[in-house]
Amino acid sequence: MRSPLPDYLTEVLEACVDDSGALADYIPELAKADPDRFALTLVTAEGAIYSVGDDDTEFTIQSVSKPFVYGLALQERGFDQVLDVIDVEPSGEAFNEVSLERNTGRPLNPMINAGALAAHALVLHGRRPEEAVESIRSLLSSLAGRDLVIDEKVATSELGTAYRNVALANLLRGYEVFEDDPDEIVEGYIRQCSVTVTTKDLALMAATLAAGGVQPVSGEQIFSRDVVRQVLSVMTTCGMYDAAGDWLSTVGIPAKSGVSGGIIGILPGQLGIAAYSPRLDEHGTSVQGVAAFGRLSRDMNLHLMDAPIVAHSVVRRKRVWGEGDDAVTVLELQGDLQFTSAEVLVRAVVDEPPATKRLAFDLSLVRAILPVGRRMLLEMIGRLHRDGLEVVVVDPDGHLPEPDTGYGFRPRVYASQDEMEARS
Ligand code: DON
């Protein structure tokens, strides 16, 4: 059987063809793009790639570089220093607006140009300008899984008309948001925006954020989980500029657009998406890209606020084996143990206490346990022990290493129900 996914994505492309919008022309070189190019790529957090349309067409990354450079600044300088320099509030204004905090001049967020210039300055500080650009090119290359190059023609073209960015950088320098030469910052930032990519590259970059910072094909941990959480939070509220609220309510996928026509979207834990089509709407975002994201979100239930109903199925099976004092109730758990599924489990045990003196939690089919799930499970085991039950755990994957309940009781751990049966 051929996977239906590429056919479905082709259908999405065909359904979203629309010749409205206009090429960006404030960067003269961008106005030369073929307006009819259209590509869509999906990469799952496990690294499966589905790609259709003009997915080998190269274009410059532009503002889609901003979340990644912000991530680099966070990783290199630490949260405190970055937050001192760039705020995380949506500006509700266009990407090139002078959206600075009153008195301090701190850019409102790192997705608008003012904040992106400041993020570039954080990466640049203490380095030579070409080293800063190289560290960014190299980061974007690791995220894409191939060596990316800078389109010097586009960079030169933008530098020739970068009046607003030069003004912004000088304003930021005037407020002492950074100490480096504003011209160097503008040049470095524009070269950062001129790294050339395809939708496959962008979808792999997006999937790395979806996979908690791990590039899904190489397996390299590029960003820490904390950095990814911060980057995605800011993308969710600020990534689509003055259309951020509309985008979040209708499409519901944290996203970032660029004026060359690229858009990335990230569904944490699930997938990265990239679209490319160079005709733009009034926000500087790809018209066909917006349509494709809207369609994917609706068809595939990808809206972030469409909560999956996972909690109810945490107890896969409850069974009792043995007789009398030897009888044991086994609760076979499944899925992920986060707060809500742990709460369902606690409630199941409270509402229907085991009728036996022995109780086993079998975690064989549990995929992951968050710290809150671990705490709640151990707290429950401690309380059950205090109430006189003998509690054991079947944990072949080591979800609960050396389980300490904090009640002076550590439950016995077995690798399987067979082992538990044989040894008890
Ligand atoms: O600074 C600029 O104006 C461009 N290099 C990038 C702007 C951009 O991509 C805005 N996003 N839609």
Side-chain angles (χ1 to χ4, degrees):
M1 185 198 83
R2 234 166 45 124
S3 165
L5 273 167
D7 296 343
Y8 163 70
L9 293 180
T10 304
E11 211 181 290
V12 172
L13 277 197
E14 285 166 4
C16 294
V17 169
D18 176 350
D19 65 4
S20 60
L23 299 178
D25 56 6
Y26 77 99
I27 301 173
E29 201 60 26
L30 294 188
K32 296 183 184 164
D34 176 349
D36 296 321
R37 294 288 165 103
F38 195 7
L40 190 55
T41 305
L42 246 68
V43 177
T44 69
E46 291 185 343
I49 301 174
Y50 301 97
S51 197
V52 294
D54 301 308
D55 57 351
D56 287 327
T57 299
E58 298 201 318
F59 52 94
T60 50
I61 188 168
Q62 299 299 338
S63 290
V64 179
S65 62
K66 292 170 178 173
F68 301 107
V69 175
Y70 181 55
L72 182 62
L74 287 165
Q75 199 132 281
E76 290 187 340
R77 307 272 168 218
F79 279 55
D80 289 348
Q81 204 184 328
V82 174
L83 288 166
D84 266 357
V85 173
I86 314 165
D87 205 350
V88 290
E89 293 306 330
S91 64
E93 293 184 312
F95 65 89
N96 53 6
E97 235 7 275
V98 187
S99 302
L100 308 180
E101 212 174 66
R102 249 169 216 249
N103 305 325
T104 65
R106 189 165 68 138
L108 286 192
N109 69 69
M111 299 296 129
I112 50 173
N113 286 9
L117 287 160
H120 188 91
L122 283 163
V123 172
L124 172 82
H125 192 64
R127 286 183 164 118
R128 284 184 294 118
E130 53 285 9
E131 276 172 6
V133 173
E134 176 50 26
S135 73
I136 292 167
R137 191 203 61 80
S138 154
L139 167 80
L140 296 173
S141 297
S142 325
L143 289 160
R146 73 176 185 112
D147 209 31
L148 301 176
V149 295
I150 292 174
D151 186 332
E152 297 294 350
K153 254 175 128 178
V154 174
T156 308
S157 168
E158 181 167 3
L159 266 170
T161 55
Y163 309 111
R164 281 189 89 104
N165 282 332
V166 169
L168 274 171
N170 278 284
L171 202 53
L172 293 171
R173 178 68 188 83
Y175 275 115
E176 296 177 357
V177 169
F178 52 74
E179 292 166 0
D180 297 277
D181 176 2
D183 290 336
E184 280 179 2
I185 308 258
V186 172
E187 181 170 345
Y189 160 75
I190 283 177
R191 299 191 74 225
Q192 151 195 332
C193 289
S194 303
V195 170
T196 311
V197 289
T198 64
T199 51
K200 283 189 208 148
D201 298 323
L202 288 187
L204 277 157
M205 294 180 187
T208 305
L209 295 179
V214 177
Q215 211 276 6
V217 176
S218 70
E220 186 190 349
Q221 178 90 49
I222 297 178
F223 289 124
S224 71
R225 295 185 77 85
D226 287 353
V227 165
V228 170
R229 190 173 63 186
Q230 178 75 5
V231 169
L232 290 181
S233 306
V234 176
M235 274 177 74
T236 308
T237 49
C238 312
M240 299 306 257
Y241 313 118
D242 44 341
D246 183 31
W247 176 270
L248 187 61
S249 57
T250 54
V251 179
I253 299 175
K256 185 74 214 75
S257 59
V259 283
S260 54
I263 305 180
I264 58 166
I266 291 104
L267 265 177
Q270 295 193 56
L271 74 159
I273 306 171
Y276 169 68
S277 162
R279 286 198 200 90
L280 309 180
D281 64 15
E282 67 279 20
H283 307 289
T285 302
S286 166
V287 172
Q288 295 190 139
V290 169
F293 266 84
R295 173 79 195 256
L296 290 178
S297 168
R298 281 192 304 278
D299 285 0
M300 292 169 35
N301 309 117
L302 298 183
H303 198 297
L304 206 59
M305 302 306 164
D306 274 342
I309 304 159
V310 289
H312 302 296
S313 55
V314 63
V315 180
R316 180 171 182 268
R317 187 158 73 139
K318 177 178 179 180
R319 67 193 186 102
V320 178
W321 44 265
E323 280 170 15
D325 283 353
D326 286 340
V328 54
T329 301
V330 182
L331 289 175
E332 294 175 357
L333 310 184
Q334 66 180 2
D336 298 336
L337 214 54
Q338 16 81 325
F339 171 71
T340 45
S341 53
E343 185 276 336
V344 168
L345 174 62
V346 169
R347 197 148 36 86
V349 175
V350 169
D351 291 351
E352 228 182 289
T356 57
K357 290 196 173 144
R358 297 169 63 217
L359 172 66
F361 290 102
D362 185 346
L363 311 183
S364 307
L365 293 177
V366 167
R367 198 181 58 156
I369 302 192
L370 292 188
V372 63
R374 187 174 299 123
R375 277 205 310 276
M376 287 172 73
L377 182 57
L378 288 173
E379 177 69 31
M380 178 165 57
I381 292 174
R383 287 177 182 228
L384 289 165
H385 170 77
R386 194 185 55 191
D387 292 349
L389 260 84
E390 183 193 333
V391 187
V392 301
V393 179
V394 175
D395 185 15
D397 297 322
H399 288 301
L400 295 181
E402 298 178 25
D404 186 352
T405 58
Y407 282 76
F409 168 68
R410 288 171 186 263
R412 270 202 204 157
V413 180
Y414 299 103
S416 64
Q417 286 193 38
D418 284 349
E419 190 197 70
M420 177 178 80
E421 195 174 8
R423 292 178 51 186
S424 52

